Amino acid sequence: MAAAAVRRLLRGASSTSVSNTSRFLSSTTSPPPHGSPNTNSPVAFDWSDDDADGSSHLPPSTEKKDELPPPYYDPFSKKPAIAEPSDPTNLQEVFHKMRKEGLTDYAIKMFDGLSKDGLTHEALALFAVIKDRGSMPDVVAHTAVLEAYASAGPAHWRDAVRTYDRMLASGVMPNAYTLAVLVRGLAASDRCAEAGKYLVEMLDRGMRPNVATYLAAFEAYLRMEKVEEGKALLETMKGKGFRPDEEAVRGGTVKRGQVFDGLMKLLFGK
C-alpha cells in the first residue's frame, strides 16, 4: 500500500519549480549571530568557490529547477537513493554542486531514509510539500549542509553540530533522518559522547533510532575504549523506553571478532 501511494504521488510529476532553493544556498562569509531572526537565510555556510564576482547567488537565467524523482523511482530498494560524492572531504566541490544543482537529491535521500525506517507518513508529507506547494522544505536544506559536514571527516564535526544548532535556532524541527545523519557522522569521527547525546535527543523527541544509527554510536564507544560510558548511555536510553533489537544487531553488522563480541556484551550482556 505504501509503495503504491508513493508511485501515485510521483507519477506525472517529473519536475517542479522549487523557488526557495537558492534562498538557502546563499550566505556571507561569516555566520549570523546564533539565534538570528533572519529566517530567510537561517544558516550561514562557506559557499566559496571559483565564481569571479564572489557572488553567492546563481543568476536567475541559469538557476536549475529542482526535479522530483521519476515515476520509476523505488524508495524501498536497498540500493542507495543517489550516488554519494566521489570525495566527501572536498566541501568546496560538494557545496558548489549543491548550489548549482539544487537540493532534489538530498530530498530523495531523506525520503528514502524515512521510508526505510517505516516513517512513510513523514516521507509522503515531505514530498507533498514539494509537489503541491512547489517549495523545498526547510528541513531538507539544513540537513543537506549538516550531512555534508558530517561526511567530511573528523575535522568538521563541530561544523555539523553548529549547523544543527542553527537549524533549531531558526525554528526548523529535525526529523529522524536529520538526527540519524548527525549521530552517525559524530560516531564516525569518534565523538562518542556527542553521538550519545543526540541518540538520547532522538528518544526525547519521540523518535526511534534505527539499528545502523545506534550501532554506529556504540561502536564508537568501543573504539575509544569507553565501555562504561557506553553502558551508562544504554541505561539512560532504556529508561526512555529503548530496547536494542538483538536480531537486527546481528543482521546489521558484518563485523565479527572483538568488535562484534564487544557489541553483544555491551548491548545484551552476552
Side-chain angles (χ1 to χ4, degrees):
M1 294 296 291
V6 171
R7 294 189 184 97
R8 285 196 299 270
L9 174 64
L10 300 181
R11 185 179 296 116
S14 60
S15 66
T16 186
S17 173
V18 184
S19 60
N20 68 340
T21 298
S22 61
R23 171 167 64 90
F24 286 101
L25 304 186
S26 60
S27 66
T28 59
T29 55
S30 60
H34 185 73
S36 169
N38 181 8
T39 56
N40 286 331
S41 298
V43 282
F45 313 109
D46 186 3
W47 295 102
S48 59
D49 52 31
D50 56 358
D51 292 347
D53 61 358
S55 173
S56 59
H57 293 273
L58 289 174
S61 60
T62 61
E63 182 178 341
K64 182 176 179 179
K65 303 298 184 181
D66 279 303
E67 297 180 352
L68 286 174
Y72 56 80
Y73 169 69
D74 180 6
F76 302 100
S77 169
K78 292 184 179 180
K79 296 180 181 179
I82 65 168
E84 298 294 339
S86 57
D87 181 10
T89 65
N90 187 346
L91 285 173
Q92 181 174 337
E93 178 62 27
V94 170
F95 287 150
H96 177 76
K97 183 177 180 181
M98 193 184 298
R99 187 182 65 183
K100 180 180 179 182
E101 299 185 2
L103 299 171
T104 298
D105 281 355
Y106 294 90
I108 292 173
K109 287 180 69 176
M110 182 177 288
F111 180 85
D112 185 69
L114 292 171
S115 297
K116 287 178 177 177
D117 282 348
L119 301 172
T120 308
H121 177 76
E122 290 88 339
L124 292 176
L126 179 78
F127 262 80
V129 172
I130 302 172
K131 179 177 182 290
D132 298 338
R133 302 180 188 175
S135 61
M136 187 66 70
D138 290 358
V139 66
V140 174
H142 289 271
T143 303
V145 179
L146 188 159
E147 187 165 8
Y149 283 129
S151 300
H156 294 282
W157 72 267
R158 287 186 178 86
D159 295 314
V161 172
R162 290 189 191 106
T163 301
Y164 181 72
D165 289 342
R166 290 172 188 155
M167 177 181 183
L168 298 183
S170 300
V172 179
M173 290 298 102
N175 56 33
Y177 180 82
T178 304
L179 278 160
V181 166
L182 181 57
V183 170
R184 291 197 297 266
L186 290 168
S189 297
D190 289 333
R191 305 304 305 186
C192 49
E194 289 81 3
K197 170 186 173 181
Y198 292 107
L199 268 181
V200 172
E201 181 172 332
M202 290 187 77
L203 296 173
D204 287 341
R205 290 181 177 274
M207 303 171 185
R208 181 175 179 82
N210 61 33
V211 64
T213 300
Y214 65 78
L215 275 182
F218 285 110
E219 285 183 13
Y221 278 98
L222 290 174
R223 284 197 305 273
M224 301 305 293
E225 299 182 351
K226 295 184 177 181
V227 176
E228 293 305 314
E229 290 89 337
K231 290 180 179 178
L233 170 63
L234 180 61
E235 290 306 310
T236 298
M237 293 174 68
K238 285 182 175 180
K240 297 177 181 294
F242 171 80
R243 293 293 182 273
D245 184 329
E246 183 172 347
E247 182 178 353
V249 168
R250 289 183 179 277
T253 177
V254 296
K255 297 182 176 70
R256 291 296 182 267
Q258 186 175 359
V259 173
F260 180 77
D261 292 342
L263 280 172
M264 297 304 291
K265 185 175 181 180
L266 174 58
L267 295 174
F268 307 107
K270 296 184 177 182

PDB file of all heavy atoms in Angstrom, residues 194-229:
ATOM      1  N   GLU A 194      29.194  12.934  22.105  1.00  0.00           N
ATOM      2  CA  GLU A 194      28.267  13.778  21.352  1.00  0.00           C
ATOM      3  C   GLU A 194      27.245  12.927  20.603  1.00  0.00           C
ATOM      4  O   GLU A 194      26.052  13.261  20.556  1.00  0.00           O
ATOM      5  CB  GLU A 194      29.033  14.664  20.369  1.00  0.00           C
ATOM      6  CG  GLU A 194      29.840  15.780  21.013  1.00  0.00           C
ATOM      7  CD  GLU A 194      31.194  15.319  21.550  1.00  0.00           C
ATOM      8  OE1 GLU A 194      31.537  14.116  21.376  1.00  0.00           O
ATOM      9  OE2 GLU A 194      31.906  16.144  22.151  1.00  0.00           O
ATOM     10  N   ALA A 195      27.700  11.807  20.033  1.00  0.00           N
ATOM     11  CA  ALA A 195      26.772  10.906  19.347  1.00  0.00           C
ATOM     12  C   ALA A 195      25.725  10.381  20.323  1.00  0.00           C
ATOM     13  O   ALA A 195      24.532  10.322  20.011  1.00  0.00           O
ATOM     14  CB  ALA A 195      27.532   9.750  18.702  1.00  0.00           C
ATOM     15  N   GLY A 196      26.169  10.028  21.520  1.00  0.00           N
ATOM     16  CA  GLY A 196      25.233   9.545  22.550  1.00  0.00           C
ATOM     17  C   GLY A 196      24.230  10.605  22.953  1.00  0.00           C
ATOM     18  O   GLY A 196      23.045  10.318  23.164  1.00  0.00           O
ATOM     19  N   LYS A 197      24.692  11.840  23.044  1.00  0.00           N
ATOM     20  CA  LYS A 197      23.799  12.947  23.407  1.00  0.00           C
ATOM     21  C   LYS A 197      22.634  13.050  22.425  1.00  0.00           C
ATOM     22  O   LYS A 197      21.467  13.205  22.833  1.00  0.00           O
ATOM     23  CB  LYS A 197      24.590  14.252  23.419  1.00  0.00           C
ATOM     24  CG  LYS A 197      23.737  15.506  23.538  1.00  0.00           C
ATOM     25  CD  LYS A 197      24.576  16.770  23.384  1.00  0.00           C
ATOM     26  CE  LYS A 197      23.706  18.015  23.337  1.00  0.00           C
ATOM     27  NZ  LYS A 197      24.505  19.255  23.164  1.00  0.00           N
ATOM     28  N   TYR A 198      22.935  12.943  21.124  1.00  0.00           N
ATOM     29  CA  TYR A 198      21.877  13.106  20.134  1.00  0.00           C
ATOM     30  C   TYR A 198      21.037  11.841  19.961  1.00  0.00           C
ATOM     31  O   TYR A 198      19.888  11.932  19.511  1.00  0.00           O
ATOM     32  CB  TYR A 198      22.466  13.593  18.809  1.00  0.00           C
ATOM     33  CG  TYR A 198      22.999  15.002  18.944  1.00  0.00           C
ATOM     34  CD1 TYR A 198      24.369  15.256  18.972  1.00  0.00           C
ATOM     35  CD2 TYR A 198      22.131  16.078  19.098  1.00  0.00           C
ATOM     36  CE1 TYR A 198      24.851  16.547  19.131  1.00  0.00           C
ATOM     37  CE2 TYR A 198      22.606  17.369  19.260  1.00  0.00           C
ATOM     38  CZ  TYR A 198      23.965  17.600  19.279  1.00  0.00           C
ATOM     39  OH  TYR A 198      24.428  18.883  19.456  1.00  0.00           O
ATOM     40  N   LEU A 199      21.573  10.685  20.343  1.00  0.00           N
ATOM     41  CA  LEU A 199      20.739   9.491  20.428  1.00  0.00           C
ATOM     42  C   LEU A 199      19.650   9.698  21.479  1.00  0.00           C
ATOM     43  O   LEU A 199      18.476   9.382  21.256  1.00  0.00           O
ATOM     44  CB  LEU A 199      21.578   8.265  20.806  1.00  0.00           C
ATOM     45  CG  LEU A 199      22.171   7.411  19.699  1.00  0.00           C
ATOM     46  CD1 LEU A 199      22.937   6.252  20.319  1.00  0.00           C
ATOM     47  CD2 LEU A 199      21.099   6.898  18.756  1.00  0.00           C
ATOM     48  N   VAL A 200      20.050  10.223  22.626  1.00  0.00           N
ATOM     49  CA  VAL A 200      19.081  10.498  23.692  1.00  0.00           C
ATOM     50  C   VAL A 200      18.073  11.548  23.226  1.00  0.00           C
ATOM     51  O   VAL A 200      16.877  11.447  23.510  1.00  0.00           O
ATOM     52  CB  VAL A 200      19.808  10.955  24.976  1.00  0.00           C
ATOM     53  CG1 VAL A 200      18.810  11.431  26.024  1.00  0.00           C
ATOM     54  CG2 VAL A 200      20.655   9.812  25.536  1.00  0.00           C
ATOM     55  N   GLU A 201      18.549  12.549  22.501  1.00  0.00           N
ATOM     56  CA  GLU A 201      17.628  13.571  21.998  1.00  0.00           C
ATOM     57  C   GLU A 201      16.594  12.964  21.056  1.00  0.00           C
ATOM     58  O   GLU A 201      15.422  13.361  21.065  1.00  0.00           O
ATOM     59  CB  GLU A 201      18.385  14.689  21.288  1.00  0.00           C
ATOM     60  CG  GLU A 201      17.458  15.792  20.777  1.00  0.00           C
ATOM     61  CD  GLU A 201      18.182  17.007  20.251  1.00  0.00           C
ATOM     62  OE1 GLU A 201      19.312  17.290  20.720  1.00  0.00           O
ATOM     63  OE2 GLU A 201      17.620  17.691  19.379  1.00  0.00           O
ATOM     64  N   MET A 202      17.021  12.005  20.239  1.00  0.00           N
ATOM     65  CA  MET A 202      16.060  11.325  19.367  1.00  0.00           C
ATOM     66  C   MET A 202      14.928  10.722  20.193  1.00  0.00           C
ATOM     67  O   MET A 202      13.746  10.870  19.873  1.00  0.00           O
ATOM     68  CB  MET A 202      16.745  10.227  18.549  1.00  0.00           C
ATOM     69  CG  MET A 202      17.677  10.716  17.476  1.00  0.00           C
ATOM     70  SD  MET A 202      18.315   9.379  16.407  1.00  0.00           S
ATOM     71  CE  MET A 202      16.874   9.097  15.350  1.00  0.00           C
ATOM     72  N   LEU A 203      15.287  10.039  21.258  1.00  0.00           N
ATOM     73  CA  LEU A 203      14.273   9.412  22.109  1.00  0.00           C
ATOM     74  C   LEU A 203      13.399  10.469  22.771  1.00  0.00           C
ATOM     75  O   LEU A 203      12.172  10.306  22.878  1.00  0.00           O
ATOM     76  CB  LEU A 203      14.948   8.535  23.159  1.00  0.00           C
ATOM     77  CG  LEU A 203      15.739   7.332  22.617  1.00  0.00           C
ATOM     78  CD1 LEU A 203      16.508   6.650  23.739  1.00  0.00           C
ATOM     79  CD2 LEU A 203      14.809   6.335  21.938  1.00  0.00           C
ATOM     80  N   ASP A 204      14.005  11.567  23.210  1.00  0.00           N
ATOM     81  CA  ASP A 204      13.235  12.637  23.839  1.00  0.00           C
ATOM     82  C   ASP A 204      12.237  13.262  22.870  1.00  0.00           C
ATOM     83  O   ASP A 204      11.195  13.777  23.288  1.00  0.00           O
ATOM     84  CB  ASP A 204      14.179  13.729  24.366  1.00  0.00           C
ATOM     85  CG  ASP A 204      14.937  13.289  25.615  1.00  0.00           C
ATOM     86  OD1 ASP A 204      14.490  12.327  26.279  1.00  0.00           O
ATOM     87  OD2 ASP A 204      15.980  13.905  25.912  1.00  0.00           O
ATOM     88  N   ARG A 205      12.560  13.202  21.577  1.00  0.00           N
ATOM     89  CA  ARG A 205      11.665  13.743  20.558  1.00  0.00           C
ATOM     90  C   ARG A 205      10.664  12.705  20.051  1.00  0.00           C
ATOM     91  O   ARG A 205       9.929  12.961  19.101  1.00  0.00           O
ATOM     92  CB  ARG A 205      12.482  14.299  19.384  1.00  0.00           C
ATOM     93  CG  ARG A 205      13.262  15.560  19.708  1.00  0.00           C
ATOM     94  CD  ARG A 205      14.026  16.050  18.485  1.00  0.00           C
ATOM     95  NE  ARG A 205      14.728  17.302  18.750  1.00  0.00           N
ATOM     96  CZ  ARG A 205      14.211  18.506  18.647  1.00  0.00           C
ATOM     97  NH1 ARG A 205      12.943  18.636  18.259  1.00  0.00           N
ATOM     98  NH2 ARG A 205      14.913  19.595  18.918  1.00  0.00           N
ATOM     99  N   GLY A 206      10.658  11.542  20.681  1.00  0.00           N
ATOM    100  CA  GLY A 206       9.714  10.511  20.273  1.00  0.00           C
ATOM    101  C   GLY A 206      10.154   9.729  19.049  1.00  0.00           C
ATOM    102  O   GLY A 206       9.331   9.051  18.416  1.00  0.00           O
ATOM    103  N   MET A 207      11.434   9.815  18.696  1.00  0.00           N
ATOM    104  CA  MET A 207      11.959   9.095  17.536  1.00  0.00           C
ATOM    105  C   MET A 207      12.654   7.821  17.997  1.00  0.00           C
ATOM    106  O   MET A 207      13.254   7.792  19.079  1.00  0.00           O
ATOM    107  CB  MET A 207      12.959   9.966  16.778  1.00  0.00           C
ATOM    108  CG  MET A 207      12.410  11.293  16.312  1.00  0.00           C
ATOM    109  SD  MET A 207      13.736  12.346  15.657  1.00  0.00           S
ATOM    110  CE  MET A 207      12.840  13.861  15.326  1.00  0.00           C
ATOM    111  N   ARG A 208      12.604   6.806  17.175  1.00  0.00           N
ATOM    112  CA  ARG A 208      13.277   5.554  17.491  1.00  0.00           C
ATOM    113  C   ARG A 208      14.480   5.399  16.566  1.00  0.00           C
ATOM    114  O   ARG A 208      14.312   5.227  15.359  1.00  0.00           O
ATOM    115  CB  ARG A 208      12.343   4.364  17.327  1.00  0.00           C
ATOM    116  CG  ARG A 208      13.006   3.030  17.680  1.00  0.00           C
ATOM    117  CD  ARG A 208      12.018   1.880  17.628  1.00  0.00           C
ATOM    118  NE  ARG A 208      12.661   0.626  17.948  1.00  0.00           N
ATOM    119  CZ  ARG A 208      12.896   0.188  19.180  1.00  0.00           C
ATOM    120  NH1 ARG A 208      12.509   0.932  20.209  1.00  0.00           N
ATOM    121  NH2 ARG A 208      13.485  -0.974  19.400  1.00  0.00           N
ATOM    122  N   PRO A 209      15.698   5.480  17.095  1.00  0.00           N
ATOM    123  CA  PRO A 209      16.871   5.332  16.233  1.00  0.00           C
ATOM    124  C   PRO A 209      16.915   3.950  15.594  1.00  0.00           C
ATOM    125  O   PRO A 209      16.626   2.948  16.262  1.00  0.00           O
ATOM    126  CB  PRO A 209      18.057   5.546  17.185  1.00  0.00           C
ATOM    127  CG  PRO A 209      17.513   5.315  18.558  1.00  0.00           C
ATOM    128  CD  PRO A 209      16.073   5.697  18.508  1.00  0.00           C
ATOM    129  N   ASN A 210      17.256   3.902  14.318  1.00  0.00           N
ATOM    130  CA  ASN A 210      17.351   2.601  13.663  1.00  0.00           C
ATOM    131  C   ASN A 210      18.641   1.906  14.079  1.00  0.00           C
ATOM    132  O   ASN A 210      19.522   2.500  14.708  1.00  0.00           O
ATOM    133  CB  ASN A 210      17.231   2.740  12.148  1.00  0.00           C
ATOM    134  CG  ASN A 210      18.334   3.593  11.532  1.00  0.00           C
ATOM    135  OD1 ASN A 210      19.463   3.615  12.008  1.00  0.00           O
ATOM    136  ND2 ASN A 210      17.997   4.300  10.471  1.00  0.00           N
ATOM    137  N   VAL A 211      18.763   0.647  13.701  1.00  0.00           N
ATOM    138  CA  VAL A 211      19.884  -0.158  14.184  1.00  0.00           C
ATOM    139  C   VAL A 211      21.219   0.394  13.695  1.00  0.00           C
ATOM    140  O   VAL A 211      22.205   0.400  14.444  1.00  0.00           O
ATOM    141  CB  VAL A 211      19.714  -1.643  13.785  1.00  0.00           C
ATOM    142  CG1 VAL A 211      19.739  -1.816  12.272  1.00  0.00           C
ATOM    143  CG2 VAL A 211      20.761  -2.511  14.458  1.00  0.00           C
ATOM    144  N   ALA A 212      21.275   0.889  12.450  1.00  0.00           N
ATOM    145  CA  ALA A 212      22.536   1.426  11.939  1.00  0.00           C
ATOM    146  C   ALA A 212      22.988   2.631  12.745  1.00  0.00           C
ATOM    147  O   ALA A 212      24.193   2.827  12.970  1.00  0.00           O
ATOM    148  CB  ALA A 212      22.373   1.807  10.464  1.00  0.00           C
ATOM    149  N   THR A 213      22.040   3.420  13.215  1.00  0.00           N
ATOM    150  CA  THR A 213      22.374   4.641  13.954  1.00  0.00           C
ATOM    151  C   THR A 213      22.896   4.315  15.347  1.00  0.00           C
ATOM    152  O   THR A 213      23.953   4.815  15.761  1.00  0.00           O
ATOM    153  CB  THR A 213      21.146   5.557  14.034  1.00  0.00           C
ATOM    154  OG1 THR A 213      20.734   5.913  12.713  1.00  0.00           O
ATOM    155  CG2 THR A 213      21.461   6.821  14.812  1.00  0.00           C
ATOM    156  N   TYR A 214      22.181   3.463  16.091  1.00  0.00           N
ATOM    157  CA  TYR A 214      22.692   3.211  17.447  1.00  0.00           C
ATOM    158  C   TYR A 214      23.903   2.287  17.438  1.00  0.00           C
ATOM    159  O   TYR A 214      24.764   2.380  18.315  1.00  0.00           O
ATOM    160  CB  TYR A 214      21.600   2.746  18.408  1.00  0.00           C
ATOM    161  CG  TYR A 214      20.921   1.423  18.180  1.00  0.00           C
ATOM    162  CD1 TYR A 214      21.528   0.215  18.519  1.00  0.00           C
ATOM    163  CD2 TYR A 214      19.611   1.365  17.707  1.00  0.00           C
ATOM    164  CE1 TYR A 214      20.876  -0.995  18.357  1.00  0.00           C
ATOM    165  CE2 TYR A 214      18.942   0.161  17.545  1.00  0.00           C
ATOM    166  CZ  TYR A 214      19.581  -1.024  17.873  1.00  0.00           C
ATOM    167  OH  TYR A 214      18.925  -2.225  17.733  1.00  0.00           O
ATOM    168  N   LEU A 215      24.039   1.421  16.435  1.00  0.00           N
ATOM    169  CA  LEU A 215      25.258   0.622  16.333  1.00  0.00           C
ATOM    170  C   LEU A 215      26.471   1.512  16.090  1.00  0.00           C
ATOM    171  O   LEU A 215      27.538   1.291  16.669  1.00  0.00           O
ATOM    172  CB  LEU A 215      25.136  -0.392  15.200  1.00  0.00           C
ATOM    173  CG  LEU A 215      24.464  -1.725  15.513  1.00  0.00           C
ATOM    174  CD1 LEU A 215      24.467  -2.622  14.289  1.00  0.00           C
ATOM    175  CD2 LEU A 215      25.138  -2.427  16.686  1.00  0.00           C
ATOM    176  N   ALA A 216      26.322   2.513  15.241  1.00  0.00           N
ATOM    177  CA  ALA A 216      27.434   3.424  14.963  1.00  0.00           C
ATOM    178  C   ALA A 216      27.914   4.087  16.245  1.00  0.00           C
ATOM    179  O   ALA A 216      29.122   4.197  16.492  1.00  0.00           O
ATOM    180  CB  ALA A 216      27.006   4.476  13.943  1.00  0.00           C
ATOM    181  N   ALA A 217      26.973   4.518  17.074  1.00  0.00           N
ATOM    182  CA  ALA A 217      27.346   5.193  18.320  1.00  0.00           C
ATOM    183  C   ALA A 217      28.038   4.243  19.291  1.00  0.00           C
ATOM    184  O   ALA A 217      29.091   4.569  19.857  1.00  0.00           O
ATOM    185  CB  ALA A 217      26.104   5.797  18.963  1.00  0.00           C
ATOM    186  N   PHE A 218      27.474   3.065  19.482  1.00  0.00           N
ATOM    187  CA  PHE A 218      28.066   2.141  20.453  1.00  0.00           C
ATOM    188  C   PHE A 218      29.388   1.569  19.953  1.00  0.00           C
ATOM    189  O   PHE A 218      30.280   1.286  20.766  1.00  0.00           O
ATOM    190  CB  PHE A 218      27.068   1.032  20.804  1.00  0.00           C
ATOM    191  CG  PHE A 218      25.964   1.513  21.713  1.00  0.00           C
ATOM    192  CD1 PHE A 218      24.670   1.630  21.255  1.00  0.00           C
ATOM    193  CD2 PHE A 218      26.236   1.871  23.033  1.00  0.00           C
ATOM    194  CE1 PHE A 218      23.652   2.092  22.086  1.00  0.00           C
ATOM    195  CE2 PHE A 218      25.234   2.326  23.877  1.00  0.00           C
ATOM    196  CZ  PHE A 218      23.943   2.445  23.401  1.00  0.00           C
ATOM    197  N   GLU A 219      29.544   1.421  18.649  1.00  0.00           N
ATOM    198  CA  GLU A 219      30.846   1.011  18.122  1.00  0.00           C
ATOM    199  C   GLU A 219      31.899   2.075  18.417  1.00  0.00           C
ATOM    200  O   GLU A 219      33.064   1.756  18.680  1.00  0.00           O
ATOM    201  CB  GLU A 219      30.755   0.747  16.626  1.00  0.00           C
ATOM    202  CG  GLU A 219      30.071  -0.568  16.283  1.00  0.00           C
ATOM    203  CD  GLU A 219      30.058  -0.824  14.785  1.00  0.00           C
ATOM    204  OE1 GLU A 219      30.784  -0.126  14.052  1.00  0.00           O
ATOM    205  OE2 GLU A 219      29.315  -1.723  14.363  1.00  0.00           O
ATOM    206  N   ALA A 220      31.493   3.347  18.365  1.00  0.00           N
ATOM    207  CA  ALA A 220      32.433   4.424  18.676  1.00  0.00           C
ATOM    208  C   ALA A 220      32.886   4.336  20.131  1.00  0.00           C
ATOM    209  O   ALA A 220      34.069   4.533  20.434  1.00  0.00           O
ATOM    210  CB  ALA A 220      31.795   5.779  18.393  1.00  0.00           C
ATOM    211  N   TYR A 221      31.972   4.033  21.034  1.00  0.00           N
ATOM    212  CA  TYR A 221      32.364   3.856  22.441  1.00  0.00           C
ATOM    213  C   TYR A 221      33.376   2.723  22.587  1.00  0.00           C
ATOM    214  O   TYR A 221      34.339   2.826  23.363  1.00  0.00           O
ATOM    215  CB  TYR A 221      31.132   3.566  23.298  1.00  0.00           C
ATOM    216  CG  TYR A 221      30.367   4.806  23.708  1.00  0.00           C
ATOM    217  CD1 TYR A 221      29.240   5.211  23.005  1.00  0.00           C
ATOM    218  CD2 TYR A 221      30.770   5.564  24.800  1.00  0.00           C
ATOM    219  CE1 TYR A 221      28.533   6.346  23.375  1.00  0.00           C
ATOM    220  CE2 TYR A 221      30.074   6.700  25.188  1.00  0.00           C
ATOM    221  CZ  TYR A 221      28.954   7.089  24.463  1.00  0.00           C
ATOM    222  OH  TYR A 221      28.266   8.222  24.827  1.00  0.00           O
ATOM    223  N   LEU A 222      33.174   1.646  21.848  1.00  0.00           N
ATOM    224  CA  LEU A 222      34.111   0.528  21.918  1.00  0.00           C
ATOM    225  C   LEU A 222      35.469   0.915  21.345  1.00  0.00           C
ATOM    226  O   LEU A 222      36.511   0.590  21.932  1.00  0.00           O
ATOM    227  CB  LEU A 222      33.549  -0.682  21.170  1.00  0.00           C
ATOM    228  CG  LEU A 222      32.346  -1.373  21.817  1.00  0.00           C
ATOM    229  CD1 LEU A 222      31.800  -2.458  20.900  1.00  0.00           C
ATOM    230  CD2 LEU A 222      32.719  -1.975  23.172  1.00  0.00           C
ATOM    231  N   ARG A 223      35.467   1.591  20.200  1.00  0.00           N
ATOM    232  CA  ARG A 223      36.744   2.003  19.591  1.00  0.00           C
ATOM    233  C   ARG A 223      37.547   2.894  20.519  1.00  0.00           C
ATOM    234  O   ARG A 223      38.775   2.812  20.571  1.00  0.00           O
ATOM    235  CB  ARG A 223      36.503   2.751  18.276  1.00  0.00           C
ATOM    236  CG  ARG A 223      36.130   1.897  17.105  1.00  0.00           C
ATOM    237  CD  ARG A 223      36.315   2.658  15.791  1.00  0.00           C
ATOM    238  NE  ARG A 223      35.591   3.923  15.755  1.00  0.00           N
ATOM    239  CZ  ARG A 223      34.330   4.058  15.370  1.00  0.00           C
ATOM    240  NH1 ARG A 223      33.633   2.984  15.013  1.00  0.00           N
ATOM    241  NH2 ARG A 223      33.751   5.248  15.336  1.00  0.00           N
ATOM    242  N   MET A 224      36.836   3.768  21.223  1.00  0.00           N
ATOM    243  CA  MET A 224      37.509   4.703  22.112  1.00  0.00           C
ATOM    244  C   MET A 224      37.750   4.130  23.502  1.00  0.00           C
ATOM    245  O   MET A 224      38.206   4.832  24.402  1.00  0.00           O
ATOM    246  CB  MET A 224      36.674   5.996  22.215  1.00  0.00           C
ATOM    247  CG  MET A 224      36.444   6.693  20.884  1.00  0.00           C
ATOM    248  SD  MET A 224      37.975   7.067  20.007  1.00  0.00           S
ATOM    249  CE  MET A 224      38.697   8.296  21.098  1.00  0.00           C
ATOM    250  N   GLU A 225      37.429   2.840  23.654  1.00  0.00           N
ATOM    251  CA  GLU A 225      37.626   2.127  24.926  1.00  0.00           C
ATOM    252  C   GLU A 225      36.911   2.822  26.082  1.00  0.00           C
ATOM    253  O   GLU A 225      37.449   2.983  27.180  1.00  0.00           O
ATOM    254  CB  GLU A 225      39.121   1.965  25.218  1.00  0.00           C
ATOM    255  CG  GLU A 225      39.859   1.159  24.154  1.00  0.00           C
ATOM    256  CD  GLU A 225      41.325   0.957  24.473  1.00  0.00           C
ATOM    257  OE1 GLU A 225      41.825   1.590  25.432  1.00  0.00           O
ATOM    258  OE2 GLU A 225      41.980   0.178  23.761  1.00  0.00           O
ATOM    259  N   LYS A 226      35.679   3.220  25.797  1.00  0.00           N
ATOM    260  CA  LYS A 226      34.843   3.869  26.805  1.00  0.00           C
ATOM    261  C   LYS A 226      33.602   3.021  27.050  1.00  0.00           C
ATOM    262  O   LYS A 226      32.466   3.465  26.894  1.00  0.00           O
ATOM    263  CB  LYS A 226      34.468   5.282  26.357  1.00  0.00           C
ATOM    264  CG  LYS A 226      35.670   6.218  26.251  1.00  0.00           C
ATOM    265  CD  LYS A 226      35.246   7.635  25.886  1.00  0.00           C
ATOM    266  CE  LYS A 226      36.451   8.572  25.851  1.00  0.00           C
ATOM    267  NZ  LYS A 226      36.058   9.973  25.526  1.00  0.00           N
ATOM    268  N   VAL A 227      33.850   1.784  27.430  1.00  0.00           N
ATOM    269  CA  VAL A 227      32.761   0.811  27.591  1.00  0.00           C
ATOM    270  C   VAL A 227      31.817   1.226  28.711  1.00  0.00           C
ATOM    271  O   VAL A 227      30.585   1.119  28.571  1.00  0.00           O
ATOM    272  CB  VAL A 227      33.336  -0.590  27.857  1.00  0.00           C
ATOM    273  CG1 VAL A 227      32.198  -1.596  28.120  1.00  0.00           C
ATOM    274  CG2 VAL A 227      34.182  -1.058  26.673  1.00  0.00           C
ATOM    275  N   GLU A 228      32.350   1.703  29.809  1.00  0.00           N
ATOM    276  CA  GLU A 228      31.494   2.077  30.937  1.00  0.00           C
ATOM    277  C   GLU A 228      30.583   3.249  30.558  1.00  0.00           C
ATOM    278  O   GLU A 228      29.408   3.278  30.942  1.00  0.00           O
ATOM    279  CB  GLU A 228      32.344   2.427  32.163  1.00  0.00           C
ATOM    280  CG  GLU A 228      33.100   1.233  32.745  1.00  0.00           C
ATOM    281  CD  GLU A 228      32.173   0.070  33.079  1.00  0.00           C
ATOM    282  OE1 GLU A 228      31.106   0.311  33.690  1.00  0.00           O
ATOM    283  OE2 GLU A 228      32.514  -1.073  32.726  1.00  0.00           O
ATOM    284  N   GLU A 229      31.122   4.197  29.811  1.00  0.00           N
ATOM    285  CA  GLU A 229      30.294   5.306  29.353  1.00  0.00           C
ATOM    286  C   GLU A 229      29.213   4.808  28.394  1.00  0.00           C
ATOM    287  O   GLU A 229      28.079   5.301  28.404  1.00  0.00           O
ATOM    288  CB  GLU A 229      31.157   6.363  28.659  1.00  0.00           C
ATOM    289  CG  GLU A 229      32.071   7.139  29.595  1.00  0.00           C
ATOM    290  CD  GLU A 229      33.433   6.455  29.766  1.00  0.00           C
ATOM    291  OE1 GLU A 229      33.518   5.228  29.544  1.00  0.00           O
ATOM    292  OE2 GLU A 229      34.391   7.165  30.123  1.00  0.00           O
TER     293      GLU A 229
END
